[in-house]
Amino acid sequence: MEVGGGMDALPDGVVQHILSQLSSARDVAACAAVARCWRGCVPYLPSLYFPRGAFEAAAAADDAIGRMVAAAARLEELVVYCPFSASLLPRWLAARAATLRVLELRVDSAAADKSGSGSGQGHHLDCVGVAAGLEELRLWGLIMTAPPAWGRMERLRVLEVVGAVLGEAAVNGAVAACPNLTDLALLGCECAGEAAISLPLLERCRLDFVGAGNCSLRLAAPRVESLEVQGFCWISLQGGDRLKHLTISMTTGSVYHVETGKLPELDRLSLRGVQWSWGAISSVLQCAAEVKHLVMKVEFCGDFDTLQSFPEIDLVEFFNSHPKLCKFEIHGAMFAALCQKNSLKNLDSRFVIPCLEQVLVTVRSPLNAEQKLSTLESLVRYSVRLRRMTIRISQMKNCHDGADDFFEEICKFTRMNRGRVCIE
Protein backbone atom coordinates (compact mmCIF):
# COMPACT_ATOMS: atom_id res chain seq x y z
CA MET A 1 0.00 0.00 0.00
CA GLU A 2 1.41 3.39 -0.93
CA VAL A 3 1.75 5.94 1.84
CA GLY A 4 -0.43 9.01 1.24
CA GLY A 5 -2.64 7.30 -1.30
CA GLY A 6 -5.80 8.30 0.57
CA MET A 7 -8.92 6.17 0.53
CA ASP A 8 -8.20 5.08 -3.05
CA ALA A 9 -5.30 3.08 -1.71
CA LEU A 10 -7.43 1.19 0.79
CA PRO A 11 -8.96 -2.21 0.06
CA ASP A 12 -12.59 -2.12 -1.01
CA GLY A 13 -13.68 -3.94 2.15
CA VAL A 14 -12.07 -1.30 4.39
CA VAL A 15 -13.64 1.54 2.39
CA GLN A 16 -17.08 -0.08 2.66
CA HIS A 17 -16.63 -0.49 6.40
CA ILE A 18 -15.65 3.19 6.85
CA LEU A 19 -18.54 4.44 4.75
CA SER A 20 -20.98 2.14 6.51
CA GLN A 21 -20.45 4.20 9.67
CA LEU A 22 -22.33 7.08 8.05
CA SER A 23 -25.96 7.65 9.02
CA SER A 24 -26.97 11.16 7.89
CA ALA A 25 -28.66 11.09 4.50
CA ARG A 26 -26.76 14.25 3.53
CA ASP A 27 -23.39 12.60 4.20
CA VAL A 28 -24.39 9.44 2.34
CA ALA A 29 -25.52 11.45 -0.69
CA ALA A 30 -22.33 13.53 -0.67
CA CYS A 31 -20.12 10.43 -0.60
CA ALA A 32 -22.12 8.79 -3.36
CA ALA A 33 -21.53 11.86 -5.53
CA VAL A 34 -17.75 11.72 -5.08
CA ALA A 35 -17.10 8.37 -6.71
CA ARG A 36 -19.16 5.70 -8.39
CA CYS A 37 -17.52 2.96 -6.35
CA TRP A 38 -18.57 4.69 -3.12
CA ARG A 39 -22.20 4.27 -4.00
CA GLY A 40 -21.80 0.65 -3.08
CA CYS A 41 -21.67 1.59 0.62
CA VAL A 42 -25.45 2.08 0.87
CA PRO A 43 -26.36 -1.63 1.14
CA TYR A 44 -24.10 -1.90 4.17
CA LEU A 45 -25.54 1.07 6.08
CA PRO A 46 -27.05 -0.03 9.43
CA SER A 47 -28.55 3.40 10.11
CA LEU A 48 -30.21 6.19 8.10
CA TYR A 49 -31.03 9.63 9.48
CA PHE A 50 -33.05 12.23 7.55
CA PRO A 51 -32.86 15.57 9.46
CA ARG A 52 -35.30 18.45 9.32
CA GLY A 53 -34.53 20.82 6.48
CA ALA A 54 -32.72 18.14 4.47
CA PHE A 55 -35.21 18.59 1.62
CA GLU A 56 -37.25 21.54 0.40
CA ALA A 57 -40.39 19.52 -0.32
CA ALA A 58 -41.94 16.23 0.72
CA ALA A 59 -41.74 14.93 -2.86
CA ALA A 60 -37.94 15.22 -2.91
CA ALA A 61 -37.74 13.59 0.52
CA ASP A 62 -40.01 10.74 -0.56
CA ASP A 63 -37.76 9.95 -3.54
CA ALA A 64 -34.54 10.02 -1.49
CA ILE A 65 -35.95 8.05 1.44
CA GLY A 66 -37.47 5.46 -0.89
CA ARG A 67 -34.23 4.93 -2.85
CA MET A 68 -31.97 4.73 0.20
CA VAL A 69 -34.26 2.47 2.21
CA ALA A 70 -34.65 0.15 -0.78
CA ALA A 71 -30.87 -0.02 -1.21
CA ALA A 72 -29.94 -0.40 2.48
CA ALA A 73 -30.31 -4.17 2.71
CA ARG A 74 -28.93 -4.29 6.27
CA LEU A 75 -30.84 -1.30 7.66
CA GLU A 76 -31.41 -1.56 11.42
CA GLU A 77 -32.23 2.05 12.37
CA LEU A 78 -34.39 4.55 10.49
CA VAL A 79 -34.86 8.12 11.76
CA VAL A 80 -37.01 10.54 9.73
CA TYR A 81 -37.42 14.12 10.94
CA CYS A 82 -37.96 15.76 7.55
CA PRO A 83 -41.38 16.11 5.86
CA PHE A 84 -42.51 12.96 4.07
CA SER A 85 -45.69 11.43 2.64
CA ALA A 86 -47.34 9.29 5.27
CA SER A 87 -48.94 7.09 2.63
CA LEU A 88 -45.48 5.82 1.59
CA LEU A 89 -44.45 4.74 5.08
CA PRO A 90 -46.01 1.24 4.78
CA ARG A 91 -43.92 0.57 1.66
CA TRP A 92 -40.66 1.62 3.33
CA LEU A 93 -41.27 -0.41 6.47
CA ALA A 94 -42.32 -3.49 4.51
CA ALA A 95 -39.07 -3.30 2.51
CA ARG A 96 -36.94 -3.51 5.66
CA ALA A 97 -39.24 -5.31 8.08
CA ALA A 98 -36.81 -8.21 8.49
CA THR A 99 -33.84 -6.10 9.63
CA LEU A 100 -35.30 -2.93 11.18
CA ARG A 101 -34.77 -2.65 14.95
CA VAL A 102 -35.09 1.09 15.70
CA LEU A 103 -37.69 3.45 14.19
CA GLU A 104 -38.04 7.16 14.98
CA LEU A 105 -40.51 9.38 13.13
CA ARG A 106 -41.47 13.03 13.42
CA VAL A 107 -45.08 12.44 12.47
CA ASP A 108 -46.13 16.10 12.56
CA SER A 109 -43.93 16.57 9.49
CA ALA A 110 -45.74 13.86 7.56
CA ALA A 111 -48.01 14.96 4.73
CA ALA A 112 -51.32 13.09 4.73
CA ASP A 113 -52.73 11.67 1.52
CA LYS A 114 -55.25 13.78 -0.38
CA SER A 115 -58.08 11.31 0.14
CA GLY A 116 -58.25 12.21 3.84
CA SER A 117 -59.03 8.63 4.78
CA GLY A 118 -58.37 7.34 8.26
CA SER A 119 -58.45 8.99 11.64
CA GLY A 120 -55.60 11.45 12.02
CA GLN A 121 -52.01 10.37 11.48
CA GLY A 122 -52.60 7.20 13.48
CA HIS A 123 -54.21 5.62 10.38
CA HIS A 124 -50.84 5.40 8.59
CA LEU A 125 -49.00 4.30 11.73
CA ASP A 126 -50.91 1.02 11.73
CA CYS A 127 -48.20 -0.20 9.37
CA VAL A 128 -45.66 -0.12 12.23
CA GLY A 129 -46.81 -3.62 13.08
CA VAL A 130 -45.26 -4.84 9.82
CA ALA A 131 -41.79 -4.40 11.37
CA ALA A 132 -42.37 -7.07 14.00
CA GLY A 133 -38.68 -7.11 14.93
CA LEU A 134 -38.66 -3.52 16.21
CA GLU A 135 -36.97 -3.07 19.58
CA GLU A 136 -37.26 0.73 19.90
CA LEU A 137 -40.05 2.99 18.61
CA ARG A 138 -40.13 6.78 18.98
CA LEU A 139 -42.91 8.95 17.58
CA TRP A 140 -43.15 12.75 17.67
CA GLY A 141 -46.24 14.91 17.23
CA LEU A 142 -48.85 12.35 16.23
CA ILE A 143 -52.63 12.45 16.62
CA MET A 144 -54.11 9.10 17.57
CA THR A 145 -57.59 8.68 18.97
CA ALA A 146 -58.15 4.95 18.39
CA PRO A 147 -55.98 1.96 19.36
CA PRO A 148 -53.31 1.27 16.71
CA ALA A 149 -53.58 -1.93 14.67
CA TRP A 150 -50.03 -3.06 15.43
CA GLY A 151 -50.80 -6.57 16.54
CA ARG A 152 -48.38 -7.87 19.18
CA MET A 153 -45.00 -6.14 19.21
CA GLU A 154 -43.30 -8.83 21.28
CA ARG A 155 -39.74 -7.63 20.74
CA LEU A 156 -40.37 -3.94 21.43
CA ARG A 157 -38.50 -2.79 24.54
CA VAL A 158 -38.60 1.02 24.23
CA LEU A 159 -41.68 3.08 23.36
CA GLU A 160 -41.46 6.89 23.40
CA VAL A 161 -44.19 9.27 22.25
CA VAL A 162 -43.60 13.04 22.43
CA GLY A 163 -45.98 15.97 21.88
CA ALA A 164 -48.95 13.85 20.86
CA VAL A 165 -52.72 14.16 21.09
CA LEU A 166 -53.92 10.80 22.33
CA GLY A 167 -57.28 9.31 23.14
CA GLU A 168 -57.71 7.16 26.22
CA ALA A 169 -58.23 4.07 24.06
CA ALA A 170 -55.14 4.91 22.00
CA VAL A 171 -52.89 5.08 25.05
CA ASN A 172 -54.13 1.83 26.55
CA GLY A 173 -54.21 0.06 23.19
CA ALA A 174 -50.68 1.09 22.19
CA VAL A 175 -49.20 -0.01 25.51
CA ALA A 176 -51.14 -3.28 25.48
CA ALA A 177 -49.69 -4.05 22.04
CA CYS A 178 -46.17 -3.90 23.53
CA PRO A 179 -46.28 -6.31 26.49
CA ASN A 180 -42.51 -6.60 27.01
CA LEU A 181 -41.56 -2.93 27.35
CA THR A 182 -38.72 -2.03 29.70
CA ASP A 183 -38.86 1.73 28.94
CA LEU A 184 -42.03 3.77 28.43
CA ALA A 185 -42.17 7.54 27.90
CA LEU A 186 -45.25 9.56 26.99
CA LEU A 187 -44.06 13.16 27.18
CA GLY A 188 -46.01 16.38 26.65
CA CYS A 189 -49.07 14.42 25.53
CA GLU A 190 -52.62 15.76 25.58
CA CYS A 191 -54.91 13.11 26.99
CA ALA A 192 -57.87 12.68 29.32
CA GLY A 193 -59.46 9.78 31.09
CA GLU A 194 -57.73 6.79 32.63
CA ALA A 195 -54.40 5.28 31.63
CA ALA A 196 -54.45 1.60 32.62
CA ILE A 197 -50.96 0.14 32.13
CA SER A 198 -49.82 -3.36 33.03
CA LEU A 199 -46.23 -4.17 32.04
CA PRO A 200 -44.43 -6.96 33.92
CA LEU A 201 -40.94 -6.05 32.57
CA LEU A 202 -41.16 -2.25 32.83
CA GLU A 203 -38.13 -0.67 34.54
CA ARG A 204 -38.30 3.02 33.63
CA CYS A 205 -41.47 5.02 33.09
CA ARG A 206 -42.08 8.72 32.36
CA LEU A 207 -45.63 9.95 31.88
CA ASP A 208 -46.11 13.69 31.29
CA PHE A 209 -49.72 14.53 30.44
CA VAL A 210 -50.71 18.14 29.79
CA GLY A 211 -54.18 19.63 29.87
CA ALA A 212 -56.85 20.04 32.51
CA GLY A 213 -55.15 17.68 34.98
CA ASN A 214 -58.10 15.32 35.27
CA CYS A 215 -56.30 12.12 34.24
CA SER A 216 -55.99 9.03 36.39
CA LEU A 217 -53.31 6.35 36.30
CA ARG A 218 -53.40 2.66 37.16
CA LEU A 219 -49.94 1.18 36.81
CA ALA A 220 -48.99 -2.43 37.49
CA ALA A 221 -45.23 -2.80 37.07
CA PRO A 222 -43.49 -5.12 39.54
CA ARG A 223 -39.99 -4.38 38.17
CA VAL A 224 -40.22 -0.60 37.83
CA GLU A 225 -37.20 1.23 39.26
CA SER A 226 -37.80 4.80 38.09
CA LEU A 227 -41.22 6.46 37.79
CA GLU A 228 -41.95 10.08 36.85
CA VAL A 229 -45.57 11.14 36.44
CA GLN A 230 -47.06 14.58 35.78
CA GLY A 231 -50.65 15.61 35.19
CA PHE A 232 -52.51 12.85 37.08
CA CYS A 233 -54.96 13.65 39.86
CA TRP A 234 -55.48 9.99 40.84
CA ILE A 235 -52.59 7.50 40.93
CA SER A 236 -52.44 3.82 41.84
CA LEU A 237 -49.19 1.84 41.66
CA GLN A 238 -49.06 -1.91 42.11
CA GLY A 239 -45.62 -3.41 42.57
CA GLY A 240 -43.25 -0.75 43.90
CA ASP A 241 -40.90 -3.18 45.64
CA ARG A 242 -37.97 -2.24 43.37
CA LEU A 243 -38.81 1.44 42.91
CA LYS A 244 -35.79 3.66 43.57
CA HIS A 245 -36.83 7.03 42.10
CA LEU A 246 -40.35 8.46 42.26
CA THR A 247 -41.44 11.91 41.05
CA ILE A 248 -45.06 13.04 41.14
CA SER A 249 -45.93 16.55 39.98
CA MET A 250 -48.99 18.53 38.96
CA THR A 251 -48.65 21.93 37.31
CA THR A 252 -52.41 22.52 36.95
CA GLY A 253 -55.19 21.05 39.06
CA SER A 254 -54.82 18.98 42.21
CA VAL A 255 -53.55 15.58 43.25
CA TYR A 256 -56.35 13.91 45.21
CA HIS A 257 -55.25 10.31 45.65
CA VAL A 258 -51.93 8.41 45.57
CA GLU A 259 -51.75 4.71 46.40
CA THR A 260 -48.38 2.98 46.17
CA GLY A 261 -47.99 0.37 48.88
CA LYS A 262 -44.67 0.05 50.73
CA LEU A 263 -41.59 1.34 48.87
CA PRO A 264 -38.70 -0.42 50.62
CA GLU A 265 -36.00 0.42 48.03
CA LEU A 266 -36.95 4.06 47.42
CA ASP A 267 -33.90 6.31 47.26
CA ARG A 268 -35.35 9.59 45.92
CA LEU A 269 -38.87 11.00 46.28
CA SER A 270 -40.02 14.29 44.76
CA LEU A 271 -43.51 15.72 45.30
CA ARG A 272 -44.31 18.91 43.39
CA GLY A 273 -47.36 20.95 42.53
CA VAL A 274 -49.65 23.79 43.47
CA GLN A 275 -52.19 21.74 45.41
CA TRP A 276 -52.27 18.24 46.90
CA SER A 277 -54.74 16.74 49.29
CA TRP A 278 -53.09 16.05 52.63
CA GLY A 279 -54.29 12.45 52.41
CA ALA A 280 -52.29 11.94 49.22
CA ILE A 281 -49.13 13.51 50.72
CA SER A 282 -49.31 11.58 53.99
CA SER A 283 -49.99 8.32 52.13
CA VAL A 284 -46.83 8.68 50.04
CA LEU A 285 -44.69 9.74 53.01
CA GLN A 286 -45.85 6.77 55.07
CA CYS A 287 -45.00 4.35 52.26
CA ALA A 288 -41.59 6.01 51.72
CA ALA A 289 -40.19 5.41 55.19
CA GLU A 290 -36.80 4.32 53.74
CA VAL A 291 -36.34 7.34 51.46
CA LYS A 292 -32.90 8.97 51.41
CA HIS A 293 -33.53 12.09 49.30
CA LEU A 294 -36.82 13.93 49.73
CA VAL A 295 -38.00 16.97 47.74
CA MET A 296 -41.20 18.65 48.96
CA LYS A 297 -42.39 21.54 46.78
CA VAL A 298 -46.15 21.67 47.25
CA GLU A 299 -47.79 25.05 47.78
CA PHE A 300 -51.18 24.18 49.29
CA CYS A 301 -53.29 21.37 50.64
CA GLY A 302 -57.05 21.00 50.38
CA ASP A 303 -59.52 19.14 48.22
CA PHE A 304 -60.94 20.36 44.92
CA ASP A 305 -60.97 24.19 44.67
CA THR A 306 -60.36 24.92 48.36
CA LEU A 307 -56.76 25.99 49.00
CA GLN A 308 -55.64 25.28 52.55
CA SER A 309 -52.38 25.51 54.45
CA PHE A 310 -50.59 22.38 55.59
CA PRO A 311 -51.68 20.81 58.87
CA GLU A 312 -49.20 20.77 61.73
CA ILE A 313 -46.36 18.28 61.32
CA ASP A 314 -44.48 16.96 64.33
CA LEU A 315 -40.79 17.42 63.55
CA VAL A 316 -39.61 14.63 65.85
CA GLU A 317 -42.20 12.19 64.59
CA PHE A 318 -41.38 13.08 60.99
CA PHE A 319 -37.67 12.33 61.30
CA ASN A 320 -38.25 9.25 63.43
CA SER A 321 -40.47 7.95 60.63
CA HIS A 322 -37.77 8.63 58.01
CA PRO A 323 -34.53 7.62 59.75
CA LYS A 324 -32.48 7.19 56.54
CA LEU A 325 -33.20 10.67 55.17
CA CYS A 326 -29.88 12.07 53.94
CA LYS A 327 -30.88 15.02 51.75
CA PHE A 328 -33.98 17.13 52.38
CA GLU A 329 -35.32 19.91 50.12
CA ILE A 330 -38.31 21.58 51.74
CA HIS A 331 -40.44 24.38 50.31
CA GLY A 332 -42.00 27.21 52.29
CA ALA A 333 -45.42 25.63 52.93
CA MET A 334 -44.21 22.38 54.47
CA PHE A 335 -41.40 24.11 56.32
CA ALA A 336 -44.01 26.34 57.93
CA ALA A 337 -46.00 23.22 58.87
CA LEU A 338 -42.96 21.71 60.59
CA CYS A 339 -42.60 24.95 62.56
CA GLN A 340 -46.21 25.16 63.77
CA LYS A 341 -46.06 22.37 66.31
CA ASN A 342 -43.64 22.72 69.17
CA SER A 343 -42.65 19.07 69.41
CA LEU A 344 -39.31 19.83 71.05
CA LYS A 345 -40.65 20.83 74.48
CA ASN A 346 -40.81 17.34 75.89
CA LEU A 347 -38.01 15.97 73.77
CA ASP A 348 -36.35 12.67 74.56
CA SER A 349 -32.68 13.39 75.26
CA ARG A 350 -31.72 10.49 72.99
CA PHE A 351 -33.36 12.05 69.93
CA VAL A 352 -31.07 12.58 66.94
CA ILE A 353 -31.50 12.93 63.20
CA PRO A 354 -28.99 10.24 62.30
CA CYS A 355 -28.35 10.50 58.54
CA LEU A 356 -29.28 14.01 57.45
CA GLU A 357 -26.33 15.63 55.64
CA GLN A 358 -27.83 18.29 53.36
CA VAL A 359 -30.85 20.56 53.83
CA LEU A 360 -32.29 23.13 51.45
CA VAL A 361 -35.00 25.27 53.07
CA THR A 362 -37.07 27.79 51.09
CA VAL A 363 -38.52 30.53 53.31
CA ARG A 364 -41.19 32.77 51.83
CA SER A 365 -42.81 34.51 54.78
CA PRO A 366 -41.66 36.10 58.07
CA LEU A 367 -44.80 34.88 59.85
CA ASN A 368 -44.07 32.77 62.96
CA ALA A 369 -40.46 33.90 62.71
CA GLU A 370 -39.52 32.68 66.20
CA GLN A 371 -40.80 29.16 65.53
CA LYS A 372 -39.06 29.00 62.17
CA LEU A 373 -35.75 30.04 63.67
CA SER A 374 -36.22 27.46 66.42
CA THR A 375 -36.80 24.76 63.82
CA LEU A 376 -33.67 25.77 61.89
CA GLU A 377 -31.64 25.65 65.11
CA SER A 378 -33.07 22.22 65.94
CA LEU A 379 -32.17 20.84 62.52
CA VAL A 380 -28.58 21.95 63.03
CA ARG A 381 -28.39 20.78 66.64
CA TYR A 382 -29.85 17.30 66.23
CA SER A 383 -28.50 16.42 62.77
CA VAL A 384 -25.27 14.76 63.87
CA ARG A 385 -23.98 14.36 60.30
CA LEU A 386 -25.13 17.68 58.86
CA ARG A 387 -22.62 19.11 56.37
CA ARG A 388 -24.63 21.84 54.64
CA MET A 389 -27.81 23.80 55.24
CA THR A 390 -28.86 26.28 52.57
CA ILE A 391 -31.57 28.81 53.41
CA ARG A 392 -33.23 30.20 50.30
CA ILE A 393 -35.16 33.46 50.76
CA SER A 394 -37.79 33.52 47.99
CA GLN A 395 -40.38 36.19 47.18
CA MET A 396 -40.49 37.54 50.73
CA LYS A 397 -42.26 40.88 50.70
CA ASN A 398 -40.15 43.50 52.45
CA CYS A 399 -43.27 45.58 53.12
CA HIS A 400 -44.17 43.15 55.93
CA ASP A 401 -43.43 44.64 59.33
CA GLY A 402 -41.24 41.74 60.49
CA ALA A 403 -39.43 40.96 57.25
CA ASP A 404 -36.28 42.95 58.00
CA ASP A 405 -35.99 41.68 61.57
CA PHE A 406 -36.53 38.09 60.43
CA PHE A 407 -33.88 38.36 57.75
CA GLU A 408 -31.46 39.87 60.27
CA GLU A 409 -32.05 36.93 62.62
CA ILE A 410 -31.40 34.47 59.79
CA CYS A 411 -28.15 36.28 58.99
CA LYS A 412 -27.13 36.06 62.64
CA PHE A 413 -27.99 32.36 62.68
CA THR A 414 -25.87 31.89 59.56
CA ARG A 415 -22.87 33.63 61.13
CA MET A 416 -23.16 31.49 64.25
CA ASN A 417 -23.00 28.35 62.11
CA ARG A 418 -20.48 29.53 59.57
CA GLY A 419 -19.26 26.72 57.38
CA ARG A 420 -22.44 24.68 57.66
CA VAL A 421 -25.22 27.21 57.05
CA CYS A 422 -25.48 29.69 54.17
CA ILE A 423 -28.06 32.00 52.63
CA GLU A 424 -28.84 31.67 48.95
Side-chain angles (χ1 to χ4, degrees):
M1 181 185 300
E2 297 181 4
V3 177
M7 290 187 67
D8 291 338
L10 297 175
D12 291 343
V14 175
V15 173
Q16 289 179 351
H17 176 74
I18 293 173
L19 296 179
S20 70
Q21 305 304 307
L22 300 174
S23 61
S24 173
R26 288 174 172 172
D27 296 338
V28 173
C31 287
V34 171
R36 184 184 299 273
C37 61
W38 287 12
R39 298 175 188 175
C41 72
V42 178
Y44 302 96
L45 294 176
S47 175
L48 279 175
Y49 166 56
F50 297 87
R52 290 182 71 89
F55 305 95
E56 294 183 359
D62 293 341
D63 179 64
I65 296 172
R67 284 188 290 101
M68 289 188 182
V69 169
R74 301 182 183 180
L75 189 64
E76 297 181 2
E77 180 180 10
L78 176 61
V79 179
V80 182
Y81 284 169
C82 65
F84 65 94
S85 297
S87 59
L88 295 178
L89 183 61
R91 184 188 308 174
W92 301 335
L93 296 185
R96 292 292 160 252
T99 60
L100 202 59
R101 297 292 177 265
V102 179
L103 177 63
E104 184 168 351
L105 301 173
R106 191 167 186 116
V107 187
D108 58 0
S109 296
D113 58 13
K114 296 181 180 180
S115 65
S117 61
S119 175
Q121 299 140 328
H123 169 68
H124 295 293
L125 291 177
D126 288 344
C127 65
V128 168
V130 172
L134 278 180
E135 297 174 2
E136 299 181 18
L137 175 61
R138 297 179 176 87
L139 303 172
W140 297 65
L142 74 155
I143 300 173
M144 188 163 58
T145 57
W150 294 345
R152 297 274 291 183
M153 305 287 288
E154 298 283 355
R155 297 188 60 177
L156 199 68
R157 296 294 182 268
V158 178
L159 175 61
E160 184 172 320
V161 180
V162 180
V165 178
L166 304 172
E168 176 183 336
V171 172
N172 297 331
V175 173
C178 314
N180 298 317
L181 290 178
T182 59
D183 295 76
L184 173 64
L186 306 177
L187 307 177
C189 295
E190 294 184 30
C191 186
E194 179 180 85
I197 299 173
S198 179
L199 294 170
L201 303 181
L202 189 66
E203 297 178 1
R204 291 162 290 276
C205 182
R206 293 182 296 160
L207 304 175
D208 176 16
F209 283 17
V210 298
N214 56 353
C215 299
S216 59
L217 171 65
R218 291 183 183 272
L219 176 63
R223 294 191 181 185
V224 67
E225 296 181 0
S226 176
L227 176 61
E228 300 177 24
V229 296
Q230 197 285 134
F232 295 92
C233 62
W234 195 99
I235 300 168
S236 173
L237 170 64
Q238 297 179 18
D241 293 345
R242 300 187 183 185
L243 191 62
K244 296 179 180 178
H245 305 283
L246 174 60
T247 298
I248 304 175
S249 59
M250 175 69 86
T251 55
T252 59
S254 304
V255 179
Y256 303 125
H257 176 87
V258 179
E259 178 184 344
T260 62
K262 296 298 182 182
L263 305 172
E265 299 296 325
L266 193 64
D267 181 71
R268 187 180 192 276
L269 172 63
S270 177
L271 306 181
R272 302 171 182 267
V274 176
Q275 183 183 15
W276 282 53
S277 75
W278 178 246
I281 293 176
S282 58
S283 174
V284 178
L285 292 178
Q286 289 173 12
C287 293
E290 307 297 319
V291 68
K292 300 177 181 64
H293 182 182
L294 176 60
V295 179
M296 285 289 302
K297 291 189 176 182
V298 180
E299 297 284 349
F300 299 98
C301 283
D303 296 321
F304 302 101
D305 296 330
T306 305
L307 298 178
Q308 300 175 352
S309 58
F310 277 65
E312 296 180 354
I313 301 174
D314 189 294
L315 184 143
V316 175
E317 182 180 333
F318 176 82
F319 282 103
N320 282 339
S321 300
H322 301 86
K324 297 182 180 179
L325 193 59
C326 177
K327 186 175 181 179
F328 192 20
E329 298 180 40
I330 181 171
H331 199 64
M334 187 172 177
F335 176 64
L338 278 171
C339 301
Q340 288 178 11
K341 192 168 186 177
N342 192 356
S343 57
L344 301 173
K345 272 190 174 180
N346 301 314
L347 184 65
D348 189 324
S349 59
R350 295 170 295 180
F351 171 71
V352 293
I353 304 175
C355 298
L356 193 63
E357 297 181 3
Q358 299 180 54
V359 180
L360 171 60
V361 179
T362 301
V363 182
R364 302 184 62 179
S365 169
L367 296 176
N368 301 319
E370 184 178 348
Q371 292 175 332
K372 290 178 179 178
L373 285 168
S374 176
T375 301
L376 293 173
E377 292 169 356
S378 299
L379 288 174
V380 173
R381 182 183 305 120
Y382 296 107
S383 300
V384 294
R385 299 178 62 179
L386 185 68
R387 294 188 291 109
R388 193 71 169 174
M389 172 185 284
T390 301
I391 303 173
R392 178 179 295 165
I393 309 298
S394 174
Q395 300 177 350
M396 185 181 295
K397 297 180 179 180
N398 57 11
C399 59
H400 193 282
D401 293 340
D404 291 340
D405 293 339
F406 181 46
F407 185 75
E408 184 177 345
E409 291 295 325
I410 290 180
C411 292
K412 185 184 299 183
F413 170 73
T414 302
R415 290 193 296 270
M416 292 174 60
N417 296 276
R418 189 181 302 275
R420 288 204 296 173
V421 180
C422 68
I423 297 177
E424 186 175 281

